[in-house]
């Protein structure tokens, strides 16, 4: 099974809402990632978790809060977002942090902030 | 990671070979060349990677020049489903992050 799943597929939220995005993989990968992709732009890295610990935060605003409750799950908690945060949010996973393993991406969650 | 340069768009007729170039003139000796693609509204998909030698898998072939300053991704018999944005990325082997450039939008037409 080489699948990364993400839920929900689409999410519309107001600026005062709190919501969460979920990502799951069962490949035994120990590195997991969140990317943000605006329309017609390439994906941009937000966070990296390695062995369930946050290893990289690309200066992401605190209204985005990642969580890795176990090695298979990755969440992104959203609070007080702005309309400009509307984007496709992609999750990815990879094998051990060393070695030459490719990243597997999920289909993404299309987020619209109203 | 070293930067890459790719043409913004390319066209290819269905059934023909698609040859996508990438320049990476500042690549370091320990950096690999990776190719990913992203079909519209889907997550990126790994295609192939290489260090020095040419590589082939069931999806594509990767040709790296001897000086490693450029490479070409070859889709031998392009289909309509190969229409996507193709990203060439150079990164140190084992390094965990990918930095996506603007990529090449490949349009395969009937």
């Amino acid at each position: 099974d080489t699948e990364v799943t993400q839920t929900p597929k689409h999410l519309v939220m107001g600026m005062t809402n709190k919501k969460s995005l979920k990502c799951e993989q069962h490949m035994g990968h120990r590195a997991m990632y969140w990317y943000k992709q605006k329309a017609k732009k390439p994906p941009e890295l937000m966070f990296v978790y390695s062995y369930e610990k946050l290893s990289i935060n690309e200066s992401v605003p605190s209204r985005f809060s990642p969580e890795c409750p176990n090695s298979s799950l990755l969440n992104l908690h959203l609070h007080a977002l702005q309309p400009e945060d509307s984007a496709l949010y992609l999750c990815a996973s990879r094998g051990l942090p060393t070695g030459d393993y490719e990243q597997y991406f999920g289909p993404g969650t299309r987020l619209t902030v109203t | 990671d070293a930067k890459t340069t790719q043409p913004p768009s390319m066209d290819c007729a269905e059934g023909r070979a698609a040859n996508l170039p990438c320049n990476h003139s500042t690549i370091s000796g320990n950096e690999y060349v990776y190719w990913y693609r992203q079909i519209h509204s889907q997550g990126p998909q790994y295609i192939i990677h290489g260090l020095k030698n040419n590589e082939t898998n069931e999806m594509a072939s990767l040709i790296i020049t001897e000086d490693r300053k450029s490479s070409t991704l070859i889709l031998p018999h392009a289909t309509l489903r190969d229409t996507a944005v193709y990203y060439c990325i150079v990164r140190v082997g084992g390094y965990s992050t990918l930095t996506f450039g603007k990529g090449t939008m490949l349009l395969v037409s009937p």
Side-chain angles (χ1 to χ4, degrees):
Chain A
D1 180 9
T2 58
E3 190 179 19
V4 176
T5 59
Q6 290 188 244
T7 53
K9 284 187 169 45
H10 300 274
L11 177 63
V12 179
M13 62 185 290
M15 290 188 284
T16 58
N17 291 157
K18 286 185 182 180
K19 296 286 185 183
S20 296
L21 310 185
K22 180 180 171 182
C23 172
E24 196 163 2
Q25 57 88 14
H26 295 286
M27 295 178 277
H29 289 171
R30 303 308 297 272
M32 296 186 76
Y33 309 76
W34 281 115
Y35 290 83
K36 174 181 178 179
Q37 186 174 25
K38 301 280 283 183
K40 300 189 187 302
K41 299 288 188 184
E44 293 180 345
L45 182 67
M46 300 174 72
F47 302 104
V48 180
Y49 272 83
S50 178
Y51 292 99
E52 295 97 69
K53 293 194 187 310
L54 183 65
S55 59
I56 295 177
N57 176 343
E58 292 286 352
S59 303
V60 179
S62 60
R63 58 185 183 269
F64 295 91
S65 175
E67 179 197 21
C68 190
N70 60 57
S71 60
S72 300
L73 276 175
L74 186 66
N75 297 320
L76 185 63
H77 302 298
L78 313 172
H79 173 55
L81 294 192
Q82 304 296 311
E84 58 264 29
D85 296 320
S86 298
L88 181 68
Y89 288 84
L90 294 160
C91 173
S93 72
R94 184 171 177 261
L96 296 172
T98 57
D100 224 15
Y101 301 96
E102 64 267 26
Q103 288 188 20
Y104 291 87
F105 284 81
T109 293
R110 177 79 57 189
L111 174 68
T112 302
V113 182
T114 60
Chain B
D1 289 346
K3 291 187 178 178
T4 62
T5 304
Q6 299 178 252
S9 63
M10 293 185 66
D11 294 324
C12 181
E14 189 177 20
R16 304 296 292 270
N19 296 280
L20 292 93
C22 179
N23 285 317
H24 32 78
S25 58
T26 60
I27 192 170
S28 301
N30 62 347
E31 288 182 312
Y32 289 72
V33 180
Y34 279 76
W35 284 83
Y36 281 75
R37 73 179 183 183
Q38 187 172 22
I39 295 170
H40 181 62
S41 293
Q42 296 183 21
Q45 176 190 23
Y46 166 81
I47 301 173
I48 199 167
H49 74 279
L51 182 64
K52 291 189 221 179
N53 299 322
N54 299 335
E55 303 288 345
T56 295
N57 63 21
E58 65 278 4
M59 288 183 69
S61 295
L62 174 60
I63 308 297
I64 302 174
T65 58
E66 194 168 340
D67 63 7
R68 302 210 322 125
K69 293 185 176 182
S70 65
S71 60
T72 301
L73 178 75
I74 301 172
L75 308 179
H77 304 288
T79 71
L80 299 179
R81 288 174 294 184
D82 292 321
T83 291
V85 178
Y86 287 77
Y87 295 102
C88 169
I89 300 167
V90 293
R91 58 190 272 257
V92 175
Y95 189 61
S96 65
T97 65
L98 294 172
T99 302
F100 289 85
K102 295 179 181 178
T104 295
M105 174 65 218
L106 175 68
L107 177 62
V108 181
S109 303

